[in-house]
Amino acid sequence: MTYKGTVLIFAYECYPNNRIASAIGAQRPYQFAKNLSALGWKVIVLCCDKDKRKVLKKSALSRETARILQQYKAQLAEDNYTIIPLPSLHHHGFSDWVWTQSVTVGPGDTYIPKGFPFTLFRKAATFYSQLIHGDYSWSWVPVAERFAELLIKEQHIHIILGEHSPDAGIILSDRFSKRHNIPWIADFRDPALRFFSGYLAKLYKKVIQRIVRSASCTLTVSEYWSSLDKVLFQKESHVILNGYDQELFHRIEAHLFPSFTVSYFGSFDQRFQDILPSLEAFSLFLKQNNYPPTIQLFYRGLAHEEFLLHCNEIKIPLSHLNIQGFCERDETVAYMKGSQVLLIYAVALDKTTNRYEQEGVYPGKIFEYLGARQPILLVPSDQGILKELIHKQDRGMAASSIEEAVTFLQEKYEHWNKGTKEPLATDDPTYSREFQARQLDQILLHTLGLKG
């Protein structure tokens, strides 16, 4: 088969080898690989194996990377896209060892800081590593680098895509690009400086600019962030949104809930989001209907214990709650499609001074909600890009008050109670992963100087 070219993607997190906690972010490189291959590209993704993190001894590095390449040789020759999970070293350098000792594994394989005195060591190691080496993905860099060097002897690479957040993807892309004179593109799911502040932000700005200097262009997920990246990196920046897997959402049938179901899925962070107004609205909605048994608040995700605590604060009866932990992707999609209302939480502008959040943020799940084609409720409204998207797509309400949210829930409940099904929202393919791959296809061709 003749290909437009071969794309190598460095992506620390990539489905299906990702940690549970990185579910949305890990979909991006996977979907790029799957859909670019359908457009005539050969795609190879190197990612970190979630089950083999921080286990490889440095003495076994050469032997293990050669073994993995041999294992995937036939697949690389035959398949249009190949995802290759690689282990990471137990640690890579003293500062990485210190950091590893100062954290423990939490829900979804997240890293939870240990208490004092480990806090001091972790902060020092984080500060040093972020400026000199990279973040918690640093121990994967030598493994992916060694494997890529073996790979390029077997497979010609035309262009590289480096997935950022964490750092490993762009560090590897910069190195590999310079060494082999291959163009690369930096893909920022989150802005590089979004979660940095103070003196560390000023120092890390220089680090990230140095890494990305060799890139042909950058990608990001909103027009506002793109405008900031153009200034930060002094190069062209393109917008490719996150999205939903159209084939998956069309294939999976909606779950048939016996009750009127208001749902939320995934994580939240009360430091910069406020989930309490939505729970207060649900509680008032229940009360004004005299607590009928046909209404439930539904949650699936790693933060189920915290979600339940907040529900208890608002005094929502347990009989109206259906709260459990993480569930698999196909099941989640079925629940989304079967819900009568889908809750979404914005970055609360009164809780942030971060310039990257001043116009709002698109949570990754908003696009999967669009794919589910059910009404969406945002409360409180971000008065920004999330509200604009919901209104543009006519997908529900960005409520400015709890009272507005209650009115919205009541309206949907009355339709459901009468058995009069509201028509599903129109399926907009511009938010599909397939459409986004077509956008990337054109960017890759332009970067390589090829005709579309």
Side-chain angles (χ1 to χ4, degrees):
M1 179 177 176
T2 302
Y3 295 104
K4 294 176 180 178
T6 299
V7 184
L8 175 62
I9 302 178
F10 288 109
Y12 186 74
E13 301 280 7
C14 182
Y15 177 84
N17 303 288
N18 59 289
R19 299 173 300 157
I20 293 172
S22 63
I24 293 292
Q27 279 292 317
R28 189 168 172 95
Y30 167 74
Q31 295 291 342
F32 280 157
K34 183 177 75 168
N35 291 297
L36 281 176
S37 69
L39 295 171
W41 295 89
K42 185 175 184 67
V43 187
I44 302 166
V45 183
L46 303 186
C47 65
C48 190
D49 188 335
K50 69 179 187 302
D51 296 322
K52 296 181 180 178
R53 298 196 174 191
K54 296 189 173 295
V55 298
L56 187 66
K57 293 181 179 179
K58 193 167 288 188
S59 59
L61 176 56
S62 296
R63 182 175 65 255
E64 183 64 7
T65 49
R67 184 196 67 78
I68 295 171
L69 180 60
Q70 190 63 36
Q71 176 187 341
Y72 280 92
K73 259 191 175 179
Q75 190 175 338
L76 284 165
E78 296 169 8
D79 292 355
N80 296 336
Y81 77 95
T82 308
I83 297 170
I84 303 176
L86 301 169
S88 64
L89 297 178
H90 181 267
H91 64 275
H92 186 31
F94 180 70
S95 65
D96 190 46
W97 177 82
V98 170
W99 187 90
T100 300
Q101 301 305 307
S102 68
V103 298
T104 187
V105 177
D109 292 328
T110 54
Y111 294 116
I112 305 297
K114 293 180 181 177
F116 184 83
F118 293 99
T119 307
L120 302 177
F121 299 130
R122 181 184 60 82
K123 288 182 177 179
T126 298
F127 191 89
Y128 176 83
S129 295
Q130 198 74 59
L131 300 180
I132 305 301
H133 300 309
D135 54 22
Y136 62 89
S137 61
W138 178 237
S139 63
W140 182 67
V141 170
V143 184
E145 185 174 18
R146 181 69 60 89
F147 186 90
E149 289 299 329
L150 295 175
L151 176 68
I152 200 169
K153 295 174 183 176
E154 307 275 341
Q155 174 72 58
H156 182 61
I157 305 297
H158 295 88
I159 193 165
I160 302 163
L161 184 65
E163 295 289 328
H164 183 252
S165 189
D167 288 350
I170 59 170
I171 289 171
L172 287 159
S173 297
D174 174 47
R175 284 186 184 181
F176 205 69
S177 168
K178 288 174 178 175
R179 191 175 297 153
H180 297 285
N181 195 28
I182 301 172
W184 77 283
I185 295 170
D187 183 25
F188 291 98
R189 295 195 298 269
D190 281 310
L193 300 177
R194 181 183 173 192
F195 298 110
F196 291 86
S197 60
Y199 190 55
L200 180 58
K202 292 179 181 178
L203 293 174
Y204 186 62
K205 177 180 177 180
K206 300 296 183 184
V207 173
I208 200 75
Q209 286 174 325
R210 173 176 50 77
I211 295 170
V212 179
R213 190 178 299 133
S214 61
S216 299
C217 61
T218 67
L219 309 177
T220 189
V221 296
S222 79
E223 292 289 350
Y224 177 55
W225 286 354
S226 179
S227 69
L228 294 177
D229 278 358
K230 285 176 183 176
V231 175
L232 178 63
F233 298 116
Q234 292 296 295
K235 60 180 71 229
E236 191 173 7
S237 176
H238 304 276
V239 178
I240 299 183
L241 298 172
N242 283 311
Y244 69 96
D245 186 336
Q246 197 171 37
E247 183 277 326
L248 177 71
F249 274 76
H250 286 177
R251 172 171 54 82
I252 293 178
E253 295 292 327
H255 181 80
L256 296 177
F257 286 109
S259 302
F260 178 82
T261 301
V262 179
S263 299
Y264 182 70
F265 303 88
S267 61
F268 56 88
D269 192 327
Q270 278 290 108
R271 291 174 299 176
F272 56 86
Q273 294 170 304
D274 191 357
I275 76 167
L276 296 183
S278 71
L279 303 183
E280 290 171 6
F282 183 83
S283 180
L284 287 172
F285 163 61
L286 270 178
K287 184 177 180 180
Q288 76 179 22
N289 287 282
N290 296 315
Y291 298 93
T294 53
I295 296 175
Q296 72 169 346
L297 180 60
F298 186 89
Y299 173 86
R300 291 293 183 272
L302 294 173
H304 57 289
E305 293 179 354
E306 185 181 351
F307 194 84
L308 179 59
L309 283 174
H310 291 306
C311 289
N312 290 337
E313 285 176 32
I314 306 299
K315 294 184 170 51
I316 299 173
L318 287 174
S319 56
H320 293 275
L321 298 175
N322 186 334
I323 297 174
Q324 293 181 25
F326 173 82
C327 64
E328 294 298 333
R329 183 165 175 73
D330 286 13
E331 194 176 7
T332 299
V333 171
Y335 288 147
M336 284 183 185
K337 292 182 68 171
S339 300
Q340 280 68 53
V341 175
L342 297 167
L343 297 175
I344 194 76
Y345 299 123
V347 170
L349 297 187
D350 62 344
K351 288 193 172 191
T352 180
T353 57
N354 188 320
R355 65 182 302 205
Y356 289 97
E357 297 166 357
Q358 293 307 298
E359 293 189 8
V361 174
Y362 290 135
K365 68 175 63 63
I366 185 62
F367 301 104
E368 300 210 321
Y369 280 8
L370 295 180
R373 301 168 66 189
Q374 295 291 12
I376 299 166
L377 175 60
L378 168 64
V379 57
S381 172
D382 67 340
Q383 303 299 334
I385 60 174
L386 192 51
K387 172 185 176 180
E388 182 182 337
L389 177 63
I390 292 170
H391 283 184
K392 176 185 173 185
Q393 291 293 305
D394 193 22
R395 291 300 177 93
M397 172 179 279
S400 298
S401 67
I402 291 172
E403 290 73 23
E404 279 187 355
V406 172
T407 300
F408 178 81
L409 291 171
Q410 188 66 39
E411 176 188 320
K412 301 304 174 188
Y413 178 59
E414 288 174 4
H415 279 290
W416 179 86
N417 221 12
K418 293 173 183 175
T420 56
K421 279 194 174 182
E422 290 187 88
L424 289 171
T426 304
D427 191 14
D428 188 340
T430 61
Y431 296 104
S432 69
R433 298 287 189 177
E434 294 86 344
F435 181 84
Q436 289 141 18
R438 289 196 293 274
Q439 290 179 299
L440 181 54
D441 169 64
Q442 294 303 303
I443 294 167
L444 294 172
L445 289 171
H446 176 74
T447 304
L448 291 171
L450 302 175
K451 291 184 179 180

